[in-house]
Amino acid sequence: MKLAIEELENVLNSIKIESAEELENFKLTYLSRKGKLSALIQQFRTVAPEDKKTFGKPINILKKKYEVFLTEKQKIFCEGKKDSNLFDNDIPLNAKKYGSLHPIKITENKIYEIFYSMGFDLREGPEIEDDWHNFTALNFEEEHPARDMQDTFFIGEKVLRTHTSSVQIREMEKGTPPFRIVMPGRVYRNEAISSRSNCFFHQIEGLYIDKGVNFADLKQTLYSFVQQLFGPNTKIRFRSSYFPFTEPSAEMDIWAGLDTEDARRLTKGTGWLEVMGCGMVHPNVLTNCNIDPEVYSGFAFGMGIDRMTMLKYNIGDIRDLFNNDTRFLKQFEGEI
Ligand code: DAH
């Protein structure tokens, strides 16, 4: 027995453990139920009572030494391994867990996709505009009451754009026809805030200029768009209207129905929701951008993305879109 104790002591002094597998083997050989240390303890149980005193203490010390040895080696080889298990570089990121697109962006993407499929390109312009691009080039005369249609926020000489129509001008000034583009962006108006209006919102502007474009093209393009966004049975109507930059001008409404209280409030009890203005680009606007109105014609439209979002997702109050309440936003997780 004395020999066995010494032998096991020597093992601790001389053994080299350099990996988790070696540690595992060591445990098996010495510390498992059938291992050498257990065998020694078994053997000790059978020794004569008078020998127990002699061997009891060194065996206990030996057992302790093995335990300490094991915990130290485990610290080196096993805990490190546990940590590396916790952090697995290869697990793919789950993008959904890190937020989601805002419903307005989701709707904007859907709108853009539809126009893209009809051959429209994407353009953007600045939110801080000058008077020329926001008003004058769009045929708003100086002192003309039409300028009051849109309550403007001024920043010194500049304005916060009241509509994305300013981007039409920038694009037509830059290039040459034909143009077939959509231009999304944020716009600002000094309006009373309610369930239907906010002091900033989002529009997407459309412009199609080429030779021989007519009002039938406008109607068909918008009709086809609405059917793709809201489904083939969507009802729309065009009402004649006035914008200084289009002639003739129209407003397009979508049938939201009168079935729910939200729909009634949103449509002021008519069932129809006004979603965009449109028309044939006024010859003065083309001239302002150095395009010959005798050669080219075209249509333009500007729609409220927020209203489209409300219609698409049955949202009764525009303010829900800007409160950043995560309980509301969570509903759109996973949509693109
Ligand atoms: N800019 C107009 C608005 O904000 C909407 C609009 C109407 C845009 C007619 C257009 C258009 O391009 O042709 O109320």
Side-chain angles (χ1 to χ4, degrees), residues 149-150 162-165 168 189 201 203 205-206 243 245-246 249-250 276-281 299-303:
M149 273 166 65
Q150 307 181 338
T162 57
H163 51 186
T164 43
S165 301
Q168 286 184 31
R189 285 189 205 169
F201 53 98
Q203 288 187 329
E205 191 82 12
F243 298 102
F245 37 94
T246 43
S249 305
M276 72 174 103
C278 56
M280 299 306 292
V281 178
F299 64 76
F301 56 87
M303 74 182 94

Side-chain angles (χ1 to χ4, degrees), residues 39-277:
L40 179 67
I41 293 166
Q42 287 297 333
Q43 199 188 336
F44 171 74
R45 290 200 179 120
T46 62
V47 298
E50 61 270 24
D51 290 336
K52 286 220 160 137
K53 262 202 177 143
T54 330
F55 295 117
K57 203 170 170 193
I59 287 181
N60 252 337
I61 293 173
L62 186 68
K63 209 175 138 217
K64 272 263 148 18
K65 279 188 183 165
Y66 266 82
E67 281 166 9
V68 171
F69 183 85
L70 179 70
T71 2
E72 276 178 1
K73 296 293 174 197
Q74 271 175 336
K75 260 189 218 154
I76 300 169
F77 297 110
C78 299
E79 289 181 11
K81 190 173 150 217
K82 244 196 241 155
D83 278 351
S84 67
N85 272 348
L86 278 181
F87 188 79
D88 184 343
N89 289 324
D90 298 333
I91 295 176
L93 275 182
N94 181 353
K96 272 194 224 164
K97 285 203 177 137
Y98 297 90
S100 54
L101 290 185
H102 191 278
I104 292 177
K105 194 71 196 172
I106 296 168
T107 311
E108 184 192 306
N109 286 348
K110 288 193 197 314
I111 296 172
Y112 171 57
E113 255 171 48
I114 295 169
F115 281 106
Y116 179 78
S117 75
M118 296 196 262
F120 286 75
D121 280 336
L122 190 73
R123 294 287 188 278
E124 281 179 328
E127 290 180 20
I128 299 176
E129 259 305 358
D130 48 39
D131 182 89
W132 169 256
H133 291 95
N134 197 79
F135 293 119
T136 307
L138 285 160
N139 203 32
F140 285 80
E141 273 172 38
E142 211 66 52
E143 307 301 329
H144 191 283
R147 290 194 187 224
D148 296 338
M149 273 166 65
Q150 307 181 338
D151 297 312
T152 312
F153 286 114
F154 292 91
I155 309 176
E157 294 282 284
K158 303 250 181 172
V159 301
L160 287 181
R161 69 177 174 200
T162 57
H163 51 186
T164 43
S165 301
S166 53
V167 191
Q168 286 184 31
I169 302 296
R170 289 190 172 272
E171 287 302 317
M172 286 193 283
E173 282 174 339
K174 266 197 289 199
T176 50
F179 295 98
R180 206 190 288 172
I181 47 179
V182 283
M183 300 148 272
R186 184 179 281 202
V187 301
Y188 301 82
R189 285 189 205 169
N190 191 2
E191 272 183 21
I193 295 171
S194 71
S195 61
R196 307 171 85 241
S197 333
N198 200 8
C199 54
F200 63 85
F201 53 98
H202 301 78
Q203 288 187 329
I204 187 163
E205 191 82 12
L207 180 72
Y208 183 17
I209 306 280
D210 205 344
K211 289 178 181 157
V213 180
N214 59 38
F215 201 85
D217 297 322
L218 162 64
K219 274 180 99 171
Q220 189 51 47
T221 305
L222 294 181
Y223 187 50
S224 161
F225 158 71
V226 164
Q227 287 186 318
Q228 290 182 64
L229 188 65
F230 293 107
N233 298 323
T234 314
K235 276 207 284 183
I236 60 168
R237 70 177 185 188
F238 288 88
R239 280 178 294 110
S240 66
S241 183
Y242 170 76
F243 298 102
F245 37 94
T246 43
E247 183 58 37
S249 305
E251 229 143 331
M252 196 185 93
D253 300 342
I254 291 185
W255 179 247
L258 290 165
D259 302 340
T260 65
E261 201 182 313
D262 276 350
R264 282 198 294 275
R265 184 160 34 108
L266 208 59
T267 64
K268 291 184 178 157
T270 64
W272 291 101
L273 189 66
E274 175 195 317
V275 289
M276 72 174 103

